Each structure stands twice: as C-alpha cells, then as structure tokens.
Amino acid sequence: MKKVIIGLIVILCFCNYVNICHADSYTNIRPSTSPPNQNIRDLKDLDNKIKRGSNKDVLLLLAISGGGSRAAYFGASVMLALQREGILDHVDVISAVSGGNLPAAYYAISNDTEWNETKVKEIMGDDIKKAAKSKYYWHVINPYAHGTRSDIMAEVFDEKIFQKKKFKDVNPERPYLIINATVGTEDNNDYSLGDVFAFTSEDFKKLDSNIYEYSIASAIMASSAYPGAFDYVLLRDWTKKDQEFLHLFDGGNADNLGLEKVKDIIKNQCNRYKSIIVILIDAHKAAEGERKNNPNPTGAIDRIVDFNFLDSFDIMLDDKRDYMIMEFKTSNLDSTPYNNLIFWHITFDDKRLVNEKCGGKPIQEILNKIPTDLQITVVNKKCIDQAVNSLISENNKCLTGIKQILQKTDDTHLTKVQNDCRNEGKPLEELIYIY
C-alpha cells in the first residue's frame, strides 16, 4: 500500500511539473486598442496640475526599502504616523522595493475608509509566509495546478491584500506608485543586467506592453523574487518579432532603497519646484556574519554549497546603500548639487533609539533581529510601533521644518531644514568615513 501511495505522489508531482513547464511564462500583454483608464497618470505628467497637497511649490517623494514583513509593517506604521502629522496627503510619488511595496501599493489602491490604522496594521502584520506554504504544498500535489513559485506567491498577495487589482485600479487621488525590480537579462538596447526596472507606463512602453492591465501582485512579486527562493518574473518584449523576454527578480539587488527612480525624478523636476523633499523609510537589517564563538560554521547544507557567499553579497549591498544615502544627505546626486533638496532618513539606526528599551531589552537590538521574511511577531510589531512614535515626534526638528514648508508658514529657511534633517537617521560622519 505504501508503494502505491508513494507512486501516486510521484505521478502527481510529475504532472504538476509538466503543467508548470507548459504554462505561459510571461505575465504582460500587448497594448489595448482602447484608451487606458483616464485616472492613470504617466510620470512625465508629474506637474502642478496633478500635485497633491496645498503647496504647489514643493515636490514630496516617499521611498520605502525592502525587507519582507519587517519593511512592510515599519513602512505602514511610519506612513500612518506621517498621516497623523498631515504629511502623507502631500506625497506625490511613492517608490518602493520588495516588502516595502505592500503598504505602498495598498495605500495607492485604497480609499480613505480602507486606509485606517486598524485595518492597515492587521494586513501588514498578517502571516503571509504561512499562507504561502499552504498554497505551495497544494500546488505540489495537485495535478491540475500550474505556475511557478513566484506565481504562487503573487496569488497569496492577491488573496491577502490586493484582490486581483491592476494598475488601472490605482486610486487617482493617491500618489504615483513606482514598484522597482532588478533586470536579470543579458544586455539589450534598453536595459543592462542589474538595471532597475520600474513598473511604470514609461518602462512598459519600451516593451510595447500595457501596464494598465497588469497585476499589482505580480509586479510586487517581481520586486520580491529573492534569488534561490523564487523564480524570475518574465515580461515579454513585444517590440521583437521573435520571442524575447525581460527576466526580473528582487529589486533589492539593484536598489534596496527605492531611491534610484527618485533620483531620476529629481533630475528631471528640480527646476520646477522651490523645494524637493525626499523621505526614506529604511528597514535596513545590518549584515551579521558568523557568531564570534562559533568554531565550526559549516553546517550540513554547507558541505554541499557553502553559504558564506551570502555574507559577501550582503556586504556589497550595504556599501551601495550607504553610498546612496550619503548622496541624498549631502544633496549631491551623481556629483551634481541640488540646493533645494531636503532628505529625511527614517531608520532603526537613528540615535533617538540608542537608549530606548522595549519589553526591558534595548529596542535597537530587538529591531535588528527581526527577520526579513514574510511573517512578524506581536512583540516585534509592538517594538516597531514604539520606535516609530519616538522617531516621529514633536521634538523632531526635521519633521517640524518639513511641516512648516508644506504649510507655507516658513519656506525661507531651507538650509536650516536641510541641516536639521541631515542629523536624522544614520549619522553623516559614518557615511563619509566609509567613502
């Protein structure tokens, strides 16, 4: 009997494998003959006619880093705090990566009733990892199932959060949404290996494709497709006669802060605004390395493949991240000064949290141990909320200065606000010391 059961499982798994192989691999379609939803905006239309907030002289861009549920919950908690301070309603663009896309995209598709603290924190604190495991195991034994691990994860995002919403369903009253992934395809005319691919109408036009009918969950999956755990998300290049594809994976490899596209916007828009404000919500988790008291770091799996390459990978990404933050803190992007740029770095590394405790333990120690997968504990959510309350408080001079500029009560002290904001987040002297 056992042999029969094992045989059936093998057959089911083989059938499932065949279905996966024969499923359409790409996820985008050609442009529709009908015009796109009139509510959809192109990035090139980011001008005063569609500005959010009352101050038309200020461009406000929000970036949210990657980092699984850690980034999703931190991003949501900060966004809710910014809403209480009257800042979120002024945001014109949100650029996000990986887990940071979950609150960014949910805000973009929601209305004011759906975007409330109780519901947002419930969604961002949900155990997505558990739901993904259950769905994956079902796909393995179901001969009629098809799709890759990335497809399965996109289905979970839809079931838990996005309800099969597409880019045409983005709320026109919300900020322009940019979901960032990394190009894993060999160099071609438009993209090189390692470039940022943004899920925007501009990037889709390069493929002669239609973003308006594209699934938001699939875009987020492309941005979250961590190498080794998930497959490439494929987009077909419809400009080519023969089948050619763009292979996309985790956006954190090209830019885990979402700042590359923000930088492009600043370069194109800098002369149109008196002030450009960039707020970065950074859920960075520092590379840890091996424990110093571990005499034998080689485990059972490491005897086949040594995973110390992940440490070198993390170190390189950390250096790239620090350099990008230094550019924005010094208002000097690609060696070009931007004197009207204000940058606020909201991070667990902030000095405000150095002496703070959560549950009797140093809060930064707890925050830096939160995993970057897709589940988060009640204790960790509590500590994140506590940290956010400390970071975004009435004694924060950067916050006060930004509010004054947005409310038009003080737009003459730009330099002072820039300096106040440079003191937030990771200390500038540490970044300069590195480089």
Side-chain angles (χ1 to χ4, degrees), residues 155-282:
E155 289 178 18
V156 174
F157 285 148
D158 261 334
E159 291 172 2
K160 288 286 184 179
I161 306 174
F162 300 108
Q163 307 300 315
K164 297 187 177 181
K165 294 287 182 66
K166 299 178 180 180
F167 278 86
K168 67 180 181 180
D169 300 313
V170 168
N171 185 343
E173 301 299 321
R174 295 301 199 206
Y176 187 92
L177 175 66
I178 302 177
I179 295 173
N180 299 281
T182 301
V183 175
T185 312
E186 61 186 346
D187 294 1
N188 58 40
N189 293 334
D190 293 314
Y191 300 98
S192 297
L193 178 65
D195 280 352
V196 174
F197 178 88
F199 282 83
T200 61
S201 57
E202 287 72 28
D203 277 31
F204 262 60
K205 286 174 183 176
K206 294 177 182 178
L207 305 175
D208 191 21
S209 188
N210 182 355
I211 192 172
Y212 311 111
E213 294 296 332
Y214 196 80
S215 159
I216 288 176
S218 294
I220 293 176
M221 189 57 243
S223 181
S224 309
Y226 190 82
F230 295 103
D231 315 79
Y232 283 122
V233 172
L234 269 61
L235 299 179
R236 182 169 176 178
D237 186 348
W238 293 100
T239 66
K240 305 294 192 296
K241 291 182 179 180
D242 297 326
Q243 284 198 3
E244 292 188 16
F245 305 94
L246 206 59
H247 304 73
L248 303 176
F249 67 109
D250 186 10
N253 289 270
D255 169 28
N256 200 37
L257 299 172
L259 288 177
E260 283 288 354
K261 288 300 177 183
V262 167
K263 187 190 293 187
D264 291 342
I265 293 171
I266 293 172
K267 290 177 181 178
N268 293 326
Q269 303 283 337
C270 65
N271 294 324
R272 304 177 67 175
Y273 300 94
K274 289 182 179 179
S275 302
I276 296 179
I277 300 171
V278 175
I279 300 175
L280 169 62
I281 305 173
D282 182 9

Side-chain angles (χ1 to χ4, degrees), residues 230-342:
F230 295 103
D231 315 79
Y232 283 122
V233 172
L234 269 61
L235 299 179
R236 182 169 176 178
D237 186 348
W238 293 100
T239 66
K240 305 294 192 296
K241 291 182 179 180
D242 297 326
Q243 284 198 3
E244 292 188 16
F245 305 94
L246 206 59
H247 304 73
L248 303 176
F249 67 109
D250 186 10
N253 289 270
D255 169 28
N256 200 37
L257 299 172
L259 288 177
E260 283 288 354
K261 288 300 177 183
V262 167
K263 187 190 293 187
D264 291 342
I265 293 171
I266 293 172
K267 290 177 181 178
N268 293 326
Q269 303 283 337
C270 65
N271 294 324
R272 304 177 67 175
Y273 300 94
K274 289 182 179 179
S275 302
I276 296 179
I277 300 171
V278 175
I279 300 175
L280 169 62
I281 305 173
D282 182 9
H284 174 250
K285 179 179 172 65
E288 296 178 346
E290 290 293 340
R291 298 189 307 276
K292 57 187 176 183
N293 61 349
N294 184 8
N296 183 21
T298 304
I301 297 178
D302 293 290
R303 297 182 187 280
I304 302 172
V305 178
D306 200 317
F307 282 88
N308 59 8
F309 74 90
L310 291 175
D311 291 330
S312 63
F313 181 69
D314 288 341
I315 291 169
M316 287 187 290
L317 289 181
D318 278 1
D319 285 348
K320 184 175 182 180
R321 165 189 174 273
D322 282 350
Y323 185 78
M324 178 72 81
I325 293 172
M326 184 196 71
E327 281 193 301
F328 274 85
K329 272 184 175 283
T330 57
S331 303
N332 200 327
L333 309 181
D334 295 333
S335 301
T336 301
Y338 291 86
N339 297 325
N340 59 343
L341 174 61
I342 297 170

Side-chain angles (χ1 to χ4, degrees), residues 137-154:
Y137 294 150
W138 170 244
H139 272 66
V140 168
I141 64 172
N142 182 2
Y144 300 105
H146 64 83
T148 64
R149 293 188 300 277
S150 293
D151 295 328
I152 295 169
M153 195 70 236

Side-chain angles (χ1 to χ4, degrees), residues 98-118:
S98 192
N101 283 305
L102 297 180
Y106 183 70
Y107 181 62
I109 65 170
S110 67
N111 56 41
D112 289 341
T113 301
E114 295 165 329
W115 180 265
N116 66 78
E117 184 161 356
T118 301

